[in-house]
Amino acid sequence: MKWFHTLGILIVALAAFGGGVPEVLFPGTPALAQAVPSPARARVLEIRVEGIQRIEPQTVRSYMHIRAGDVFDPARIDQSLKSLFGTGLFADVSIRRVGEILIVRVVENPIINRIVFEGNDFMEEEDLRKEVQLRSRVVYTRTRVQNDVKRVIDLYSRQGRFAVTVVPKVIQRAQNRVDLIFEIEEGAPTLIRKINFIGNKAHSDRRLRSIIQSTETSFYAFLTADDVYDPDRIRFDEELLRRYYNSRGYADFRVLSSTAELSQDKENFFLTFTVEEGARYRTGKVEIKSEIKGLDIKLVKDRLVIYQGDWYNGKDVEKSVDRLTNAVSALGFAFIDIGPQLQRDKIKQIVSVVFIIREGPRLFVERINIRGNVRTLDKVIRRELRLAEGDAFNRSRFNRSRGRVRSLGFFKKQKFTRKPGSAEDKTIIDIEVEEQSTGSLTLGAGVSSSEGLLTQVQLVERNLLGKGQQLKIGASLGSKTQNFQISFTETYFMERNLSAGFDLFRTASKDVDSISFESKIIGFGLRLGFAYNDRLRQGLNYKLQSKQINISDSSDLSEFIKRQEGTAVTSSFGQSLVYDLRDSRVDPKEGFVISLSNDLAGFGGSNRYLRTELGGAVYYEVAGDWVLRLGTALGYIIGIGKDVRIDDRFFIGGDGRRRTLRGFAVGGIGPRDKETGDSLGGNLFITGSAELAVPFGSASSFQTKGFLFVDTGTLMYIDEKDISGPNPATSQEDDMFRVALGIGVGVRTPFGLIRLNYAIPILKADFDETQLFSFRFGTSF
């Protein structure tokens, strides 16, 4: 039995060390089983932490799921291990048991001493630091570093650089600190090589490329960023296409997809827009229905701008909603929601529109928060908003406010969001903007057939000191003309929807074509302007000018001009009224524009006259991208108590500018001195023009167009017909209309507009001076 006794002692010793005695080994010895503790009852006497440098032991213990005094539990020990790893404070953690002691050994992650970016030429370091989440004195972990690498790559991708690589490197420092270096190889921007459209039949690829903001890359890519791929811009391009088609009757238009295929070298994208145009609709019946008691729709019916029989226009529907919203609100109904419902008749291709006026949710604007405007003052943004704090919330005005802030052109991006306020009937509007450069320096050079070599320098700041003010300083120097101008405009004078500004100017011109005298003008002007709506705007102005006529060699000069030599002062008030319904001010395809201006001189000074000019043009898209322009202009000046000076009269002719008559030299028609042939100008002019623009060529980058045109016009009347004296002179004139036929070509490039015209007068007077060929070229860089 000796061996049995020895085995019992060994088992008791093992149990004392921490093991247990399985009762099944000794089924007949219950007393012995009770004397040896079981594993379930073994408890943690102490938790000992090793390897720490900065972190307190109690901090480590606080993350664990087991405490001193708890029973040893493998599951809770495993949870503690995972919890410590999950803190991100440790590079390695191990837990082991020594008797009744639990030993936790850790290897702390280092602390970031500093973060450095290298190789970032395109992206500012400040923007990169805003993007990454790691900071100095933050614990370094590989996971966090990899997440920040991804954020930097995404930031570059949003700027159109998909070839970027980011490599993080770590430099060990004393006291378990590290320097984190992001080595960036930015690569070339990923450009848009080609833009294709699928499914478009009514409008050509060329036309649609001119609608969207994205452009195909070319050799002058450094002048623009629109040829760099930007996913956000592609979404905006889809919206531009939708608006364009909806405004031309295509109510069912959809962009089915917009795909961007990246080349294998990651340097170019190929964009493809797949569209479904659908049928073209005319507007059918237009109705207004109200679900609000007490609202008489007859009082607001005249606010509609969409009419039966016209081509359906989505812009007019949106405009009608805005006008109805304002009209109903003015009647005392603050909480309204106007939803247009379209009823399509695909057989007759008619869209009937029903504007349903309902009660909207009773929400008030509690607060408007503006963020991101480091330079631009808050008030510059707030005065564009159609909602103010305390107003009843209106979705139409909310959308309109977003559009007005975007149209400022001060911000690269802007985001309008809503969130619940402090109560159910309150809402908070958050506006987040990202500012962009608003200043520009333009250096120009060009050649004109009438004015010779031209150079131009112009400095423009559209958001001076962040106040929304505009400053322009410019100089134009040519072989025959020199102009200097300083202009300042306060866009919201006295915090009202009223612009005010001043101009300082100096102009000097030598003889140009058949105008044989030199003139100098120096003066200043004051301006006021306001817009009645998006289409109609008016301006008021005052000018004080000193005008001087110099005659260097008067031996063979007209007596009419000699009598004008000297200086005269003009003090005048004027106004201008412009109604513009064109679809674009830069490259119009449809619509019309009418302008009227008047100037009354005689408020002091030596000149007294009334000058009136009326002009207009209408545009028709006759076939595809072919555009027909019909324009006319009329001007009349009458002296008040004295004759009109020669430098205040009209001179007609030239190469495509205002008061143009191609085929004739500047001052080439109108009254003349019979003896010398000098042009004397005129008090009345009438011009008309018909021009057909035809795009051609496959390179959309240069927007090349050919032109066929016919110009007509006349210039007549001067105050003095005959002059007596030592050298008597007599003027000759007639009221016949001159006519010229011509062709031309125009190329609009980032370097400027090149326009060449060849016109042949087919109806002219014997004493007229012609100019068959004319051209203009200008550039900015």
Side-chain angles (χ1 to χ4, degrees):
M1 297 293 293
K2 225 180 227 188
W3 64 271
F4 184 81
H5 180 70
T6 304
L7 179 61
I9 294 173
L10 180 61
I11 293 174
V12 171
L14 290 173
F17 188 78
V21 183
E23 188 176 352
V24 68
L25 296 178
F26 301 96
T29 56
L32 180 62
Q34 292 178 4
V36 179
S38 67
R41 296 183 179 180
R43 297 184 179 275
V44 179
L45 179 64
E46 179 187 355
I47 298 177
R48 187 177 300 166
V49 181
E50 298 178 351
I52 56 176
Q53 298 181 26
R54 303 180 311 273
I55 302 173
E56 295 294 329
Q58 189 56 37
T59 301
V60 178
R61 298 186 186 103
S62 68
Y63 289 113
M64 299 180 66
H65 293 265
I66 191 168
R67 303 285 187 268
D70 291 347
V71 175
F72 281 102
D73 185 347
R76 297 173 71 181
I77 293 175
D78 184 61
Q79 291 177 359
S80 299
L81 188 67
K82 293 179 180 178
S83 177
L84 289 171
F85 269 114
T87 63
L89 298 174
F90 311 107
D92 191 20
V93 181
S94 65
I95 302 178
R96 61 188 178 90
R97 173 182 172 185
V98 179
E100 296 178 322
I101 300 174
L102 201 62
I103 299 177
V104 181
R105 183 165 186 81
V106 299
V107 178
E108 293 181 0
N109 275 322
I111 294 293
I112 296 177
N113 181 51
R114 64 178 183 138
I115 298 176
V116 179
F117 297 93
E118 294 182 353
N120 54 306
D121 297 326
F122 172 75
M123 196 72 66
E124 295 292 337
E125 184 170 329
E126 182 181 354
D127 296 330
L128 293 172
R129 292 191 181 277
K130 290 180 181 178
E131 192 71 16
V132 300
Q133 293 188 351
L134 287 173
R135 298 287 186 270
S136 298
R137 297 184 296 277
V138 171
V139 176
Y140 167 91
T141 67
R142 291 185 179 180
T143 301
R144 290 179 177 178
V145 171
Q146 292 303 319
N147 289 338
D148 278 349
V149 167
K150 185 177 183 301
R151 290 188 181 93
V152 172
I153 292 176
D154 289 344
L155 178 62
Y156 273 93
S157 298
R158 292 196 297 269
Q159 302 299 324
R161 290 181 178 257
F162 287 80
V164 64
T165 59
V166 181
V167 179
K169 291 190 176 181
V170 176
I171 299 178
Q172 299 289 340
R173 299 297 184 189
Q175 300 177 349
N176 198 24
R177 294 177 300 118
V178 295
D179 289 343
L180 177 59
I181 301 175
F182 290 98
E183 290 188 352
I184 302 172
E185 185 175 341
E186 295 179 324
T190 310
L191 305 176
I192 301 173
R193 178 60 58 186
K194 186 67 177 176
I195 301 177
N196 297 311
F197 296 89
I198 299 176
N200 54 309
K201 299 177 181 179
H203 298 282
S204 66
D205 285 14
R206 174 194 292 273
R207 178 59 177 148
L208 297 184
R209 289 191 193 105
S210 68
I211 296 300
I212 63 177
Q213 187 175 353
S214 299
T215 60
E216 295 177 351
T217 188
S218 58
F219 70 91
Y220 50 80
F222 66 93
L223 295 173
T224 176
D226 290 339
D227 64 341
V228 177
Y229 175 74
D230 183 350
D232 293 335
R233 192 191 302 125
I234 302 303
R235 303 286 84 79
F236 183 58
D237 288 340
E238 293 180 3
E239 178 63 16
L240 291 176
L241 289 171
R242 186 193 67 80
R243 292 179 185 176
Y244 175 74
Y245 270 94
N246 283 174
S247 66
R248 283 158 175 77
Y250 296 90
D252 296 332
F253 173 82
R254 292 188 302 160
V255 178
L256 300 179
S257 66
S258 55
T259 59
E261 183 180 353
L262 183 63
S263 61
Q264 292 184 353
D265 57 8
K266 295 185 178 182
E267 292 183 358
N268 295 286
F269 266 105
F270 297 87
L271 297 185
T272 302
F273 293 90
T274 303
V275 303
E276 183 180 306
E277 293 179 329
R280 193 179 189 190
Y281 294 84
R282 288 193 179 272
T283 304
K285 191 175 182 180
V286 181
E287 296 181 274
I288 302 176
K289 294 183 179 180
S290 174
E291 298 179 1
I292 301 177
K293 294 182 179 180
L295 175 60
D296 186 358
I297 61 175
K298 294 180 181 179
L299 299 177
V300 297
K301 195 172 183 179
D302 62 338
R303 307 305 295 168
L304 297 177
V305 293
I306 181 171
Y307 305 102
Q308 185 173 352
D310 292 346
W311 289 113
Y312 171 78
N313 191 327
K315 291 181 180 179
D316 289 342
V317 173
E318 295 176 2
K319 190 183 300 182
S320 296
V321 170
D322 289 341
R323 290 166 63 93
L324 285 174
T325 299
N326 294 334
V328 175
S329 299
L331 294 175
F333 300 92
F335 303 99
I336 58 172
D337 182 32
I338 302 178
Q341 292 186 355
L342 307 182
Q343 300 172 357
R344 297 171 174 82
D345 187 335
K346 295 188 177 181
I347 298 177
K348 297 181 180 180
Q349 294 185 356
I350 291 176
V351 177
S352 297
V353 185
V354 181
F355 296 92
I356 301 179
I357 305 176
R358 304 184 181 94
E359 277 198 36
R362 292 185 170 270
L363 279 178
F364 293 90
V365 179
E366 179 180 9
R367 191 169 65 253
I368 299 176
N369 300 320
I370 302 176
R371 302 185 182 92
N373 54 316
V374 179
R375 178 167 171 263
T376 305
L377 301 181
D378 270 18
K379 70 176 184 179
V380 174
I381 301 175
R382 290 184 183 275
R383 66 195 184 192
E384 299 296 331
L385 304 180
R386 302 300 94 180
L387 287 169
E389 293 168 342
D391 286 354
F393 177 79
N394 183 283
R395 184 173 298 277
S396 175
R397 294 182 180 179
F398 176 79
N399 294 334
R400 191 177 174 192
S401 300
R402 180 165 46 195
R404 289 178 64 89
V405 172
R406 181 185 295 112
S407 64
L408 284 174
F410 299 163
F411 309 109
K412 184 185 303 181
K413 296 180 181 179
Q414 53 276 322
K415 183 179 180 181
F416 279 61
T417 56
R418 286 177 50 215
K419 63 183 181 181
S422 59
E424 292 184 357
D425 63 343
K426 294 181 179 180
T427 185
I428 297 174
I429 299 176
D430 286 335
I431 304 174
E432 189 170 350
V433 298
E434 181 181 346
E435 292 185 315
Q436 64 181 1
S437 175
T438 56
S440 64
L441 174 63
T442 302
L443 305 176
V447 177
S448 168
S449 57
S450 62
E451 297 178 9
L453 179 65
L454 299 172
T455 59
Q456 179 186 9
V457 180
Q458 182 171 276
L459 175 65
V460 179
E461 172 55 60
R462 296 180 292 108
N463 187 18
L464 185 64
L465 302 177
K467 298 180 179 180
Q469 300 166 338
Q470 299 179 8
L471 176 65
K472 180 189 295 184
I473 302 175
S476 176
L477 304 176
S479 58
K480 297 183 178 181
T481 61
Q482 295 87 39
N483 297 308
F484 301 92
Q485 183 179 18
I486 299 176
S487 298
F488 173 81
T489 302
E490 173 60 74
T491 53
Y492 271 78
F493 183 59
M494 300 179 65
E495 299 302 322
R496 298 178 180 272
N497 187 23
L498 182 70
S499 65
F502 67 84
D503 304 290
L504 302 175
F505 52 87
R506 180 184 183 276
T507 301
S509 63
K510 300 179 181 180
D511 57 318
V512 178
D513 292 336
S514 60
I515 302 175
S516 54
F517 60 89
E518 298 181 3
S519 66
K520 292 182 180 179
I521 302 175
I522 184 171
F524 76 93
L526 302 175
R527 292 175 281 106
L528 284 176
F530 53 93
Y532 295 100
N533 50 50
D534 294 338
R535 299 296 187 179
L536 181 63
R537 60 187 184 274
Q538 187 170 29
L540 304 175
N541 65 80
Y542 170 78
K543 289 183 181 179
L544 180 62
Q545 306 173 77
S546 173
K547 296 184 176 183
Q548 182 179 1
I549 294 179
N550 295 324
I551 301 174
S552 57
D553 183 8
S554 61
S555 58
D556 57 351
L557 200 62
S558 170
E559 291 293 328
F560 290 96
I561 299 176
K562 292 179 180 179
R563 294 187 58 178
Q564 305 286 328
E565 187 175 16
T567 302
V569 177
T570 303
S571 175
S572 64
F573 284 94
Q575 76 85 33
S576 62
L577 190 65
V578 179
Y579 186 62
D580 194 343
L581 274 176
R582 294 174 296 178
D583 60 344
S584 170
R585 294 183 183 180
V586 178
D587 187 20
K589 300 292 187 300
E590 294 179 340
F592 66 89
V593 58
I594 300 175
S595 63
L596 171 66
S597 65
N598 308 95
D599 293 289
L600 178 61
F603 301 90
S606 54
N607 284 346
R608 291 190 292 275
Y609 60 79
L610 173 63
R611 177 168 52 208
T612 299
E613 290 189 59
L614 176 65
V618 59
Y619 298 81
Y620 299 97
E621 196 168 14
V622 293
D625 294 336
W626 294 26
V627 177
L628 176 64
R629 175 191 179 275
L630 303 176
T632 185
L634 180 148
Y636 184 66
I637 183 171
I638 181 173
I640 302 177
K642 57 169 55 182
D643 294 339
V644 177
R645 279 173 57 91
I646 191 171
D647 52 355
D648 290 323
R649 297 174 190 158
F650 302 111
F651 289 87
I652 302 300
D655 52 0
R657 299 168 298 167
R658 193 182 182 190
R659 306 167 188 161
T660 182
L661 186 59
R662 287 164 289 192
F664 296 87
V666 177
I669 71 169
R672 290 184 177 277
D673 189 313
K674 283 185 177 181
E675 299 296 327
T676 65
D678 292 323
S679 178
L680 304 178
N683 292 5
L684 171 66
F685 80 88
I686 304 173
T687 61
S689 178
E691 182 175 85
L692 179 64
V694 182
F696 61 86
S698 59
S700 61
S701 303
F702 288 94
Q703 301 182 26
T704 306
K705 294 182 180 181
F707 299 93
L708 300 174
F709 60 85
V710 54
D711 286 354
T712 182
T714 185
L715 178 67
M716 63 190 82
Y717 303 148
I718 60 172
D719 296 311
E720 296 175 323
K721 303 295 183 180
D722 299 284
I723 293 180
S724 59
N727 300 304
T730 304
S731 67
Q732 59 180 347
E733 64 174 292
D734 57 55
D735 57 359
M736 70 176 291
F737 274 81
R738 279 72 166 174
V739 179
L741 297 177
I743 60 174
V745 61
V747 182
R748 186 178 298 276
T749 75
F751 300 106
L753 175 65
I754 303 174
R755 178 68 189 257
L756 301 95
N757 297 312
Y758 182 79
I760 301 176
I762 60 174
L763 188 60
K764 67 183 186 68
D766 295 336
F767 53 84
D768 290 341
E769 294 190 13
T770 61
Q771 180 179 281
L772 303 184
F773 180 74
S774 63
F775 65 91
R776 290 184 67 84
F777 168 70
T779 183
S780 297
F781 51 88

